[in-house]
């Protein structure tokens, strides 16, 4: 598949794996909600090295890099596993990166790069909400912010192991 949306649509059975090449950049044309089926894994690989595990880092991403902001929401499923994927929003308006928009969702983000590239101080990385029971695990995952007024909004539960805030961005105040 040439888009993450198309690959995700084909991943319908528990245990399916979506492989994303480490050099894949997908610029979104609109705010996007990705709805995952249960027990789906999204793994970044190097297709030129027999699908060895890889990371997208800052050189590739799913999201946006231009002046028009795009919002990303991760929805559906009870267990979703991401490895090495970069999710990026950009622009100047208050768009958010929503991780966990479905009640009961459990997302694991390992060696991922979650990038709030927008300069709006109102943008947030949001995990769940007060009316959703969401659990997110961040394992060696890097968070990057575009403004010191940004931050993380937790309405569910979060567990962090390793990782941190990227020095290339702004540290939330």
């Amino acid at each position: 598949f040439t888009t993450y949306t198309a690959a995700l649509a084909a991943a319908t059975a528990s245990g399916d794996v979506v492989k994303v090449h480490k050099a894949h950049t997908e610029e979104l044309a609109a705010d996007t909600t990705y709805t995952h089926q249960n027990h789906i894994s999204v793994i970044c690989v190097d297709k030129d090295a027999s699908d060895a595990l890889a990371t997208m880092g800052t050189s590739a991403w799913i999201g946006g890099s231009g002046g028009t902001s795009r919002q990303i929401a991760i929805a559906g499923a009870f267990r979703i596993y991401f490895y090495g994927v970069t999710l990026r929003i950009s622009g100047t308006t208050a768009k958010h990166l929503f991780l966990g928009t479905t009640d009961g969702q459990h997302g694991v983000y390992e060696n991922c790069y979650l990038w709030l590239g927008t300069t709006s101080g109102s943008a947030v990385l949001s995990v769940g909400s007060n009316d959703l029971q969401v659990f997110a695990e961040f394992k060696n995952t890097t968070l990057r912010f575009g403004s010191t007024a940004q931050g993380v909004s937790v309405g569910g539960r979060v567990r962090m192991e390793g990782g941190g805030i990227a020095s290339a961005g702004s540290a939330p105040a």
Side-chain angles (χ1 to χ4, degrees):
F1 300 97
T2 58
T3 67
Y4 180 62
T5 301
L8 192 59
T12 58
S14 181
D16 279 353
V17 176
V18 174
K19 295 178 181 177
V20 180
H21 183 50
K22 70 177 187 171
H24 177 72
T25 296
E26 189 165 330
E27 291 284 334
L28 300 177
D31 292 350
T32 302
T33 297
Y34 293 111
T35 302
H36 298 75
Q37 300 298 318
N38 290 328
H39 301 281
I40 298 296
S41 295
V42 181
I43 310 292
C44 180
V45 298
D46 183 349
K47 69 178 184 176
D48 300 322
S50 302
D51 286 351
L53 289 178
T55 59
M56 296 170 98
T58 59
S59 60
W61 56 81
I62 296 170
S65 63
T68 302
S69 299
R70 302 290 181 233
Q71 189 161 280
I72 299 172
I74 303 299
F78 293 104
R79 293 205 38 96
I80 308 166
Y81 176 76
F82 287 87
Y83 182 92
V85 175
T86 296
L87 299 174
R88 179 182 184 183
I89 59 174
S90 64
T92 58
T93 59
K95 296 293 183 166
H96 308 292
L97 179 54
F98 291 105
L99 305 178
T101 61
T102 304
D103 196 27
Q105 185 174 329
H106 180 170
V108 176
Y109 301 85
E110 185 171 356
N111 291 321
C112 291
Y113 199 92
L114 306 176
W115 191 348
L116 291 179
T118 177
T119 56
S120 170
S122 300
V124 296
L125 170 65
S126 178
V127 178
S129 66
N130 291 334
D131 57 339
L132 295 176
Q133 296 298 316
V134 171
F135 182 47
E137 292 183 67
F138 301 113
K139 297 179 180 180
N140 299 314
T141 289
T142 301
L143 309 179
R144 181 170 173 176
F145 299 93
S147 166
T148 58
Q150 294 173 351
V152 178
S153 170
V154 178
R157 295 179 299 149
V158 172
R159 180 175 151 199
M160 297 184 81
E161 290 180 26
I165 296 174
S167 60
S170 298

